[in-house]
Amino acid sequence: MFLLSALTAPFAAAVLLWSGYGFPTEAVSFGMALVAAATIFFGSAIRVQLPGTSVHLTASDSLIFFTMLTFGGELAVILGACEALYSSIRLRMNGLRMGVQTILLNVSITSISVFAAAIAVTAFFGRPEAAIDTVTISQLMLIMIAMGAAQFLVNSTLVAGFISIRNGESIIQVWNKNCFSALVIYLSSALFAGLLAKAFLQVDVYLLSAIGIFLTVVYFTYSRYVDAVRNSSAKAEKAERERAEQAELHITELEHYIKQLENSTSALRESHEKLHHTVYHDPLTGLPNRNFFVDHINGLFEQRVENGEEFAVIFLDINRFKTINDSLGYMIGDEMIRTVANRLNSSGVSSCSVGRFGGDEFAVVMSGIRSTGDAIAMAEWIAAQVAEPYDLLGRSVFATASLGIAVSDDRYSNAEEILRDADIAMHNAKEAGKPYVVFDQIMHARAVSLLELETDLRMAVERREFELFYQPIVNLGDATVLGFEALIRWNHPSRGLITPGEFIETAEKTGLMIPMTIQVLQTACAQLSRWKRARLAPRSLMMSVNLSASHLSQPDLVDRLVEIINETGVDPSCLKLEITESAVMGNAEASIDVLKKIQRLGIQLSIDDFGTGYSNLSYLHRFPIDTLKVDRSFVSTMEDGSENGEIVRTVIALAKALRLSVIAEGIESIHQFHQLRILGCEFGQGFLFSRPLPSDEATRLLEDPGRWSHILPNHDAGVIARNFEYTHMRIQ
Ligand code: C2E
Ligand code: MG
Ligand code: MG
């Protein structure tokens, strides 16, 4: 490379010197300057690709040949050198790695090769700028060929030499590979330049220059336009490609999503089937449940409309199942339920379907029956099946069932109605201790009136239709009033006064007992306060109010009691709550807790109807109670030496042992009164003294405290021990 530079540089310098020396200063003109500027600054930028080849014809080659033909070889050499220098510098500035040596080599090669072309033309045709004027077209062609060929030969040889030195290849190989195609460039450039120079002579120079400038502008505009078009089409292509890729991606995602959807659909179907099974089946036995039966029975009603086919619903409840469950445990209870399910399913009657409604309740639906007799036969078979002994996890167990039968008829229009009646019949069977009962009109009427009672009772609570009657509790020692028991009466708008026996049970079942008792407590406490404020009653006068079992389990009972005490201003120690023996014993431990809380308020507690339940004496001792009330059934039938008389004596003894006071209920005769006094019973209530009275009559009773003094034996007012815990009124 250095060698080549060293060889070419002096030649180039000589050539340039020669050119400078021979430069035709007299020919300097605007046209020359224009051509020179165009050659140097734009020549290499304007390039046209030869069709079908990768060879580009740059305007600079043509312009240099053109200069040679128009202004002489000297200017062409200088222009060639300047153009080579300028374009090399530009390439370097655009980032091409090109050393100064390479730039000089480029300049040298160009100068020498242009010089060679000038010499070749001059040698054959004389100075080209002079020859062009006179030559014919065919001579011009020869000049062109000589000019192009000479430049090509020198240029390509030098370039090939340079590349072969740099790459270590043979010069022929390099020339053949890289330079041969340049022959076309030079020949075409020379040809174009020759034609241009000839045309120049014929046409006005300035006009041609203007056209040249115009064409250059057009060319640049065109090439920018082409670039823009190419850019935008590239952009469009890119966007299209991106869109296609996006679409492809989208399709893949879609396929994935569809797959997921298919998976979740099948999972959904599966879980729907499971859910369906759960919703319609009982988990313990796998039998259809109530939901299933409701749908099934509704279907049978539809069929009945079409073909008149009757069917029966048999409701079954295992008697004492709770006892079995509680005493033998839930495992055995569950096993029993499964065994019953299997037995019911073994009837082999295809028109029968068996279901479990929860707990120990089963239902059998028998379709296509000819008469009620078919359903009864089935019920008998079921009862016999349930009554078969059970061997449950190694234990022998016996059970019976109560069954209720309801047969489809025109009264029913849907499953709920017939199921309800089969249930009512079953409860009737249980109450009556029968294996089965067929639902009939009487039951229906009873059920309807019960429903009416429920509705009326609901209204009664809202409208506060309850009234309190007060029955005096009497000190049997001196026949004075110790206090009153508040007893509820329902002032029914059409039926008049109704006693609690008719509605208490319904109130308990429907939950109305709670608001009802609250009203009773409020009224009774308010009444007691009123009497005391009016000084009609001594400060110690007691008010007893009955509290139901359901109330005892109310979490807010104590709070409500506090509210009532505060509202009415009643002295809590004058309030006594009566709770039946069965109510407190039902859930003894929990009752103890609640009763203690009530006791802490200062309220007294009494066990009502004592003797009718199954009191556990160890509990009795733990209950924080003050009083036992001997049930009326013992008092009313106590005669000297009778069994009930003994019970009363025992209860009184028990109360004394537990330091409790005793009240005998239901004293109706003077005989009972005296007997109780002799037994040491301190207090009593009963029709002998007074029936339960409305408040105004009870007020009058208070105003007349000596009204029962006549029943006291004159000489014996002190049979009763005098250490009563209660203060009481004296007979005046
Ligand atoms: P109880 O608490 O044992 O009330 C005594 C019942 O015996 C009252 O019946 C009363 O009229 C009746 N009685 C009193 N002395 C005699 C008598 O000498 N002979 C006869 N044959 N009966 C007598 P009543 O008022 O019909 O109450 C019945 C039951 O209803 C009460 O029995 C009580 O358990 C319940 N009860 C009454 N009022 C209420 C209340 O406000 N709340 C609650 N939870 N239950 C109440
Ligand atoms: Mg009572
Ligand atoms: Mg009682």
Side-chain angles (χ1 to χ4, degrees):
M1 168 99 154
F2 176 74
L3 180 73
L4 202 66
S5 304
L7 280 174
T8 52
F11 265 112
V15 164
L16 285 170
L17 271 174
W18 170 81
S19 304
Y21 180 73
F23 184 79
T25 40
E26 70 284 351
V28 172
S29 65
F30 173 70
M32 182 195 268
L34 199 68
V35 171
T39 308
I40 295 167
F41 300 113
F42 307 110
S44 59
I46 302 170
R47 44 168 55 210
V48 178
Q49 190 172 8
L50 294 182
T53 71
S54 60
V55 176
H56 286 85
L57 205 64
T58 60
S60 60
D61 295 323
S62 295
L63 285 170
I64 288 166
F65 286 132
F66 173 78
T67 308
M68 193 182 290
L69 293 173
T70 313
F71 302 107
E74 293 82 355
L75 184 61
V77 170
I78 291 169
L79 267 188
C82 290
E83 193 275 335
L85 182 68
Y86 174 76
S87 57
S88 296
I89 289 171
R90 216 184 55 186
L91 285 172
R92 190 184 150 111
M93 282 168 70
N94 284 346
L96 195 76
R97 290 180 62 189
M98 192 182 277
V100 177
Q101 214 175 358
T102 312
I103 295 174
L104 285 177
L105 197 61
N106 270 343
V107 173
S108 304
I109 290 171
T110 310
S111 313
I112 295 167
S113 56
V114 175
F115 173 72
I119 294 300
V121 175
T122 314
F124 290 109
F125 306 100
R127 284 193 69 81
E129 70 272 27
I132 194 80
D133 258 352
T134 53
V135 290
T136 61
I137 286 295
S138 45
Q139 283 172 328
L140 183 66
M141 285 300 179
L142 286 175
I143 292 174
M144 301 297 106
I145 290 166
M147 193 164 65
Q151 184 164 347
F152 164 70
L153 272 175
V154 175
N155 190 300
S156 62
T157 308
L158 289 172
V159 170
F162 165 69
I163 296 174
S164 78
I165 290 168
R166 197 182 59 186
N167 297 357
E169 290 170 287
S170 84
I171 206 165
I172 300 292
Q173 249 180 345
V174 176
W175 189 85
N176 196 31
K177 198 160 76 181
N178 298 303
C179 308
F180 184 68
S181 54
L183 177 63
V184 186
I185 298 175
Y186 288 107
L187 289 180
S188 339
S189 301
L191 202 65
F192 179 68
L195 294 174
L196 196 66
K198 197 74 181 151
F200 235 99
L201 291 173
Q202 315 280 313
V203 189
D204 179 67
V205 175
Y206 296 104
L207 181 62
L208 215 60
S209 305
I211 290 170
I213 291 169
F214 172 73
L215 283 176
T216 310
V217 171
V218 168
Y219 172 78
F220 275 115
T221 314
Y222 167 76
S223 72
R224 284 190 66 171
Y225 165 75
V226 167
D227 280 352
V229 169
R230 205 175 288 137
N231 272 349
S232 59
S233 73
K235 267 188 201 157
E237 208 172 288
K238 192 173 165 222
E240 194 60 38
R241 202 166 42 244
E242 278 174 2
R243 245 203 312 277
E245 279 167 9
Q246 281 273 304
E248 222 165 280
L249 199 74
H250 191 60
I251 285 169
T252 322
E253 274 174 8
L254 220 61
E255 278 171 358
H256 181 69
Y257 173 71
I258 287 169
K259 189 135 201 78
Q260 271 189 338
L261 209 66
E262 276 170 5
N263 286 348
S264 52
T265 309
S266 76
L268 208 67
R269 196 179 308 118
E270 239 171 67
S271 72
H272 182 261
E273 278 161 15
K274 269 191 203 149
L275 188 75
H276 188 266
H277 192 270
T278 315
V279 168
Y280 284 102
H281 290 83
D282 160 49
L284 181 65
T285 59
L287 288 178
N289 62 12
R290 191 187 178 97
N291 295 336
F292 181 94
F293 262 60
V294 168
D295 287 358
H296 177 50
I297 294 171
N298 282 332
L300 290 177
F301 273 119
E302 281 169 22
Q303 277 178 30
R304 184 175 177 271
V305 174
E306 284 165 21
N307 57 21
E309 211 171 74
E310 302 294 353
F311 62 93
V313 175
I314 305 172
F315 216 87
L316 177 156
D317 186 276
I318 302 169
N319 296 327
R320 288 175 43 254
F321 180 72
K322 190 175 173 338
T323 318
I324 294 168
N325 228 354
D326 290 350
S327 54
L328 301 179
Y330 286 91
M331 293 263 279
I332 288 187
D334 284 357
E335 191 55 31
M336 182 169 189
I337 294 292
R338 275 193 288 264
T339 312
V340 170
N342 290 338
R343 288 183 188 176
L344 297 185
N345 247 345
S346 68
S347 75
V349 182
S350 61
S351 58
C352 269
S353 27
V354 181
R356 181 178 174 229
F357 279 24
D360 57 341
E361 287 182 351
F362 290 85
V364 175
V365 171
M366 206 181 170
S367 55
I369 59 164
R370 286 157 306 184
S371 67
T372 309
D374 287 350
I376 290 175
M378 188 52 162
E380 281 169 348
W381 179 83
I382 292 170
Q385 286 299 308
V386 177
E388 286 284 312
Y390 297 81
D391 179 13
L392 305 171
L393 307 173
R395 276 177 178 268
S396 281
V397 179
F398 292 88
T400 53
S402 303
L403 290 98
I405 304 169
V407 178
S408 61
D409 68 30
D410 293 339
R411 267 179 314 165
Y412 301 123
S413 60
N414 63 46
E416 290 300 342
E417 290 170 0
I418 195 166
L419 280 169
R420 178 202 59 208
D421 286 357
D423 191 25
I424 292 171
M426 184 272 287
H427 278 103
N428 271 273
K430 208 177 262 286
E431 273 167 27
K434 293 181 183 169
Y436 66 85
V437 161
V438 180
F439 186 82
D440 60 20
Q441 281 307 322
I442 300 164
M443 267 179 251
H444 179 73
R446 229 176 31 218
V448 168
S449 76
L450 200 69
L451 193 73
E452 275 172 9
L453 182 73
E454 270 181 37
T455 321
D456 287 359
L457 204 58
R458 232 170 265 283
M459 304 283 271
V461 172
E462 273 173 34
R463 296 179 189 160
R464 299 180 83 94
E465 285 172 1
F466 302 109
E467 197 177 308
L468 287 191
F469 274 44
Y470 301 92
Q471 187 177 33
I473 297 172
V474 178
N475 182 336
L476 299 186
D478 54 12
T480 54
V481 177
L482 170 80
F484 287 94
E485 177 174 7
L487 294 159
I488 194 165
R489 300 291 180 265
W490 177 5
N491 219 337
H492 194 281
S494 57
R495 290 169 59 194
L497 269 193
I498 302 178
T499 50
E502 281 191 54
F503 61 88
I504 287 281
E505 202 186 318
T506 311
E508 284 275 18
K509 269 196 224 152
T510 49
L512 291 166
M513 198 66 200
I514 311 294
M516 203 180 85
T517 308
I518 296 295
Q519 287 182 18
V520 170
L521 274 163
Q522 284 167 336
T523 313
C525 291
Q527 181 63 68
L528 185 63
S529 288
R530 253 198 315 277
W531 277 332
K532 289 193 180 175
R533 274 200 305 275
R535 300 195 182 280
L536 284 167
R539 292 222 333 256
S540 60
L541 191 81
M542 299 290 300
M543 180 63 82
S544 296
V545 176
N546 294 285
L547 202 71
S548 69
S550 59
H551 221 134
L552 217 53
S553 56
Q554 287 295 302
D556 65 344
L557 171 65
V558 176
D559 293 342
R560 300 308 300 270
L561 286 171
V562 172
E563 268 172 36
I564 291 166
I565 290 168
N566 292 339
E567 273 170 25
T568 56
V570 78
D571 175 359
S573 66
C574 293
L575 178 63
K576 189 182 274 190
L577 298 180
E578 294 188 5
I579 303 144
T580 60
E581 197 181 358
S582 47
V584 278
M585 289 297 169
N587 193 355
E589 287 297 341
S591 298
I592 290 174
D593 269 7
V594 184
L595 295 182
K596 277 187 176 162
K597 283 184 191 156
I598 296 175
Q599 195 193 37
R600 278 200 286 274
L601 297 179
I603 296 172
Q604 295 198 32
L605 292 160
S606 155
I607 296 210
D608 205 354
D609 303 343
F610 190 76
T612 53
Y614 303 94
S615 276
N616 182 329
L617 291 186
S618 64
Y619 273 126
L620 197 61
H621 148 78
R622 287 176 57 204
F623 285 135
I625 48 169
D626 306 274
T627 309
L628 288 185
K629 284 187 90 172
V630 188
D631 189 65
R632 165 155 60 92
S633 57
F634 304 113
V635 176
S636 61
T637 54
M638 66 185 272
E639 288 144 26
D640 290 330
S642 77
E643 198 184 324
N644 281 348
E646 278 310 304
I647 292 174
V648 174
R649 183 196 299 276
T650 313
V651 173
I652 292 166
L654 178 72
K656 292 228 157 104
L658 294 171
R659 297 182 171 278
L660 306 172
S661 60
V662 194
I663 301 174
E665 288 182 309
I667 307 172
E668 292 186 356
S669 68
I670 296 224
H671 180 67
Q672 288 161 356
F673 168 66
H674 285 301
Q675 244 185 316
L676 286 162
R677 276 167 53 92
I678 291 162
L679 288 173
C681 183
E682 300 151 311
F683 309 104
Q685 74 186 91
F687 293 172
L688 173 69
F689 304 106
S690 166
R691 288 178 175 269
L693 303 169
S695 60
D696 52 344
E697 283 184 41
T699 310
R700 274 201 292 281
L701 190 145
L702 279 175
E703 286 163 353
D704 178 17
R707 63 163 60 200
W708 300 304
S709 54
H710 60 280
I711 61 169
L712 286 171
N714 293 335
H715 61 284
D716 184 21
V719 173
I720 312 289
R722 296 199 179 275
N723 59 344
F724 292 161
E725 291 170 38
Y726 299 93
T727 51
H728 48 76
M729 289 194 293
R730 288 254 155 235
I731 298 169
Q732 311 250 304

